[in-house]
């Protein structure tokens, strides 16, 4: 499936952005321009079932196939957040970016905890503004409003499609390209033990102190600082 994309900048270097569950390209409203200011042409997708992209059957493999079909190969940089991190991991061998960043990637969904599974995510589609603000007290109001807008056009069946992955160990065996794993503090997806395994497998791992799961909205400055040397 060809995905809807949004582009910032006209630089000679290319950066790819892949959002997480429930979001779309608008989640990158600050990251896209910031990378464009560094000389990138930044291309962000809406995954299937999200934003302005089409609907259909949902699975990590389908998300990855769409990304590989839509985005250019050989980009200087690719960043995937949460579900986007899982998607990027499954497409990185085809996209072949020079560097990959996995921002709090969804590589072990059992870390979500009891009762915090796909059905809960699906129910979140109708979350009111007050709930989003309470769950994300560090977000700017613009990000809360964007969350409401993206939820309105999101197909919650994408969350239900993740049920077969609950409890599975999805950590990559090795980085396909030089790779940074950027973690929230604490991360409910990558435990300290799994972070140690990733280091042993050749990934660089950094945490953004005090940041929640959506690091780029919870602490934009910390997010960008954590990427130094990779962007």
């Amino acid at each position: 499936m060809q995905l809807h994309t949004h582009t910032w900048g006209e630089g000679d270097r290319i950066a790819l952005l892949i959002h997480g569950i429930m979001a779309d390209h608008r989640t990158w409203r600050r990251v896209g321009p910031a990378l464009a200011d560094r000389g990138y042409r930044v291309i962000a997708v809406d995954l299937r079932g999200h934003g302005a992209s089409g609907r259909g059957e949902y699975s990590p493999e389908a998300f990855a196939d769409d990304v590989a079909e839509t985005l250019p190969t050989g980009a200087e940089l690719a960043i995937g957040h949460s579900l986007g991190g899982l998607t990027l991991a499954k497409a990185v061998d085809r996209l072949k970016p020079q560097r990959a960043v996995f921002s709090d990637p969804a590589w072990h969904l059992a870390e979500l905890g009891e009762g915090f599974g796909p059905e809960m995510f699906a129910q979140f589609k109708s979350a009111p503004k007050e709930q989003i603000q309470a769950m994300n007290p560090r977000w700017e109001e613009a990000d809360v409003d964007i969350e409401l807008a993206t939820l309105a056009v999101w197909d919650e069946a994408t969350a239900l499609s993740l049920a077969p992955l609950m409890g599975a160990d999805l950590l990559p065996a090795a980085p396909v390209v030089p790779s940074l794993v950027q973690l929230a503090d604490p991360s409910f997806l990558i435990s300290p033990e799994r972070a140690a395994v990733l280091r042993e497998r050749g990934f660089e791992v950094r945490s953004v102190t005090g940041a929640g799961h959506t690091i780029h909205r919870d602490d934009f400055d910390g997010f960008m600082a954590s990427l130094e040397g990779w962007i």
Side-chain angles (χ1 to χ4, degrees):
M1 178 187 294
Q2 280 287 325
L3 302 174
H4 175 79
T5 63
H6 183 85
T7 301
W8 295 270
E10 299 177 350
D12 294 331
R13 301 185 295 166
I14 296 176
L16 311 177
L17 301 178
I18 308 172
H19 64 81
I21 194 83
M22 302 186 289
D24 60 34
H25 73 272
R26 289 172 286 183
T27 191
W28 304 111
R29 69 174 185 93
R30 298 183 69 185
V31 178
L35 293 176
D37 287 345
R38 289 176 176 248
Y40 285 96
R41 178 164 63 91
V42 185
I43 307 171
V45 296
D46 292 351
L47 294 174
R48 68 164 63 192
H50 299 75
S53 288
R55 275 52 181 155
E57 297 295 323
Y58 302 119
S59 69
E61 291 72 24
F63 294 134
D65 289 346
D66 294 345
V67 165
E69 180 179 340
T70 301
L71 293 175
T73 59
E76 279 75 5
L77 174 68
I79 301 176
H81 169 246
S82 194
L83 174 62
L86 176 60
T87 299
L88 176 58
K90 290 183 173 295
V92 69
D93 59 334
R94 288 170 282 176
L95 289 174
K96 297 180 172 63
Q98 293 180 20
R99 300 176 302 284
V101 176
F102 302 94
S103 185
D104 220 31
W107 288 348
H108 192 244
L109 300 183
E111 295 290 332
L112 294 172
E114 185 178 355
F116 200 77
E119 294 81 5
M120 192 252 5
F121 273 116
Q123 294 169 6
F124 197 72
K125 180 175 174 67
S126 58
K129 184 172 185 177
E130 295 74 19
Q131 183 179 357
I132 295 171
Q133 289 173 320
M135 293 179 66
N136 304 284
R138 298 175 65 181
W139 285 14
E140 295 184 0
E141 186 166 1
D143 292 304
V144 175
D145 290 339
I146 285 172
E147 184 80 347
L148 288 168
T150 56
L151 285 171
V153 296
W154 168 58
D155 184 354
E156 63 270 35
T158 59
L160 299 176
S161 73
L162 301 178
L165 302 180
M166 296 302 292
D169 186 349
L170 304 173
L171 268 63
V176 175
V177 300
S179 298
L180 168 67
V181 179
Q182 181 196 60
L183 298 180
D185 176 38
S187 171
F188 60 75
L189 290 168
I190 305 294
S191 67
E193 293 77 16
R194 286 185 172 80
V197 169
L198 288 168
R199 290 188 179 95
E200 292 171 359
R201 293 180 180 180
F203 292 86
E204 182 167 348
V205 181
R206 299 177 180 176
S207 292
V208 179
T209 303
H213 173 57
T214 312
I215 302 169
H216 58 278
R217 294 198 283 192
D218 214 48
D219 181 0
F220 172 73
D221 291 336
F223 174 86
M224 294 301 296
S226 177
L227 299 182
E228 286 302 328
W230 289 86
I231 58 175

